[in-house]
Amino acid sequence: MSQFLETIAILNKIPQHLEYHQKRMKTCSVVKIEPFLQSISVVTNKLYKLSVVYNETQIEKYQLIPYQPNQINRFKIVINNEIDYSYKYADRSQIDQLRSKKGICDDIVIVKNDEVTDCSFANLLFFDGDKWITTENPLLEGTCRARLLDQDLISIQKISVNQLQSFSKMMLINAMLDFDEKRAIQISPKTFVF
């Protein structure tokens, strides 16, 4: 039986964007997340990361920890044309294996069939001087990405690895890292290592 992972931000004791998490969970499981969340106790108003491991029928385990983002500025370009992470599997060994190639970089950008996909833990946004765009074929269609697309804050575009240096800024987004231009990474010749 497959195990899946859902990561939910809890801010000021309130789970964030549950409808998007439930929609994704519904694609692979009958688990309803809201009743489970009522059993979770958060004692402070800090930002927490709730990681839920579940299968097709039930929640197996969870972890709740305070969240502090890492500083990410430099990416190793890693090519893998076979990787499949179309569901948010709890088994991240394929991604971990690719991330082990990052060397002195902070993280990786995974390229599949000459297209930019994601980094090891987030969807990617790029600023072209006019608008924020996301990759046409991410490894995982994240909940934050889906919400930003629904709100027309970002648009979709096929991005080849050769286009990376043409953008002025990039941003990592996921359930814990919401859209915030203050978090944008300025792209320089040192941002991507090939």
Side-chain angles (χ1 to χ4, degrees):
M1 189 175 286
S2 294
Q3 287 184 316
F4 305 97
L5 174 66
E6 197 65 24
T7 303
I8 300 169
I10 300 180
L11 180 60
N12 298 325
K13 302 181 184 178
I14 300 169
Q16 303 295 298
H17 313 295
L18 283 184
E19 63 275 14
Y20 287 91
H21 292 288
Q22 188 63 66
K23 183 177 180 181
R24 178 166 61 192
M25 292 174 74
K26 189 177 178 182
T27 65
C28 55
S29 177
V30 297
V31 170
K32 303 283 188 218
I33 196 66
E34 286 194 55
F36 168 74
L37 288 172
Q38 293 172 3
S39 69
I40 302 294
S41 177
V42 178
V43 294
T44 67
N45 286 336
K46 294 180 182 177
L47 176 61
Y48 284 87
K49 177 180 178 179
L50 174 64
S51 300
V52 179
V53 175
Y54 63 102
N55 60 36
E56 289 88 349
T57 60
Q58 65 185 4
I59 292 174
E60 295 184 3
K61 61 184 176 180
Y62 74 93
Q63 180 182 40
L64 180 68
I65 57 173
Y67 182 74
Q68 183 64 41
N70 293 323
Q71 186 67 31
I72 307 287
N73 292 305
R74 198 163 185 215
F75 300 85
K76 174 72 175 172
I77 302 300
V78 178
I79 298 169
N80 186 301
N81 295 331
E82 284 77 45
I83 190 167
D84 177 25
Y85 197 66
S86 50
Y87 292 98
K88 192 169 180 177
Y89 296 109
D91 178 3
R92 293 178 41 87
S93 57
Q94 277 188 308
I95 292 172
D96 293 340
Q97 183 179 15
L98 294 178
R99 192 170 189 278
S100 72
K101 299 176 183 182
K102 72 179 179 70
I104 62 169
C105 296
D106 303 312
D107 203 61
I108 60 174
V109 169
I110 302 167
V111 175
K112 183 175 180 179
N113 301 321
D114 296 320
E115 288 184 50
V116 172
T117 63
D118 296 322
C119 71
S120 71
F121 65 95
N123 291 132
L124 302 174
L125 302 180
F126 297 93
F127 189 68
D128 67 2
D130 180 44
K131 63 187 177 303
W132 285 95
I133 56 176
T134 187
T135 56
E136 183 176 64
N137 295 301
L139 293 180
L140 179 70
E141 295 187 9
T143 59
C144 183
R145 179 182 182 273
R147 181 171 44 82
L148 295 173
L149 285 167
D150 286 351
Q151 295 170 346
D152 292 324
L153 293 175
I154 62 174
S155 57
I156 294 175
Q157 178 179 312
K158 184 175 182 177
I159 301 172
S160 74
V161 68
N162 297 330
Q163 291 176 282
L164 287 175
Q165 291 293 344
S166 69
F167 298 106
S168 60
K169 297 184 275 189
M170 68 182 289
M171 191 184 310
L172 312 180
I173 57 164
N174 63 24
M176 302 306 301
L177 300 170
D178 207 348
F179 184 88
D180 182 349
E181 293 204 42
K182 290 182 275 189
R183 291 192 314 96
I185 301 164
Q186 298 296 319
I187 294 178
S188 75
K190 295 182 179 181
T191 303
F192 304 108
V193 176
F194 292 86

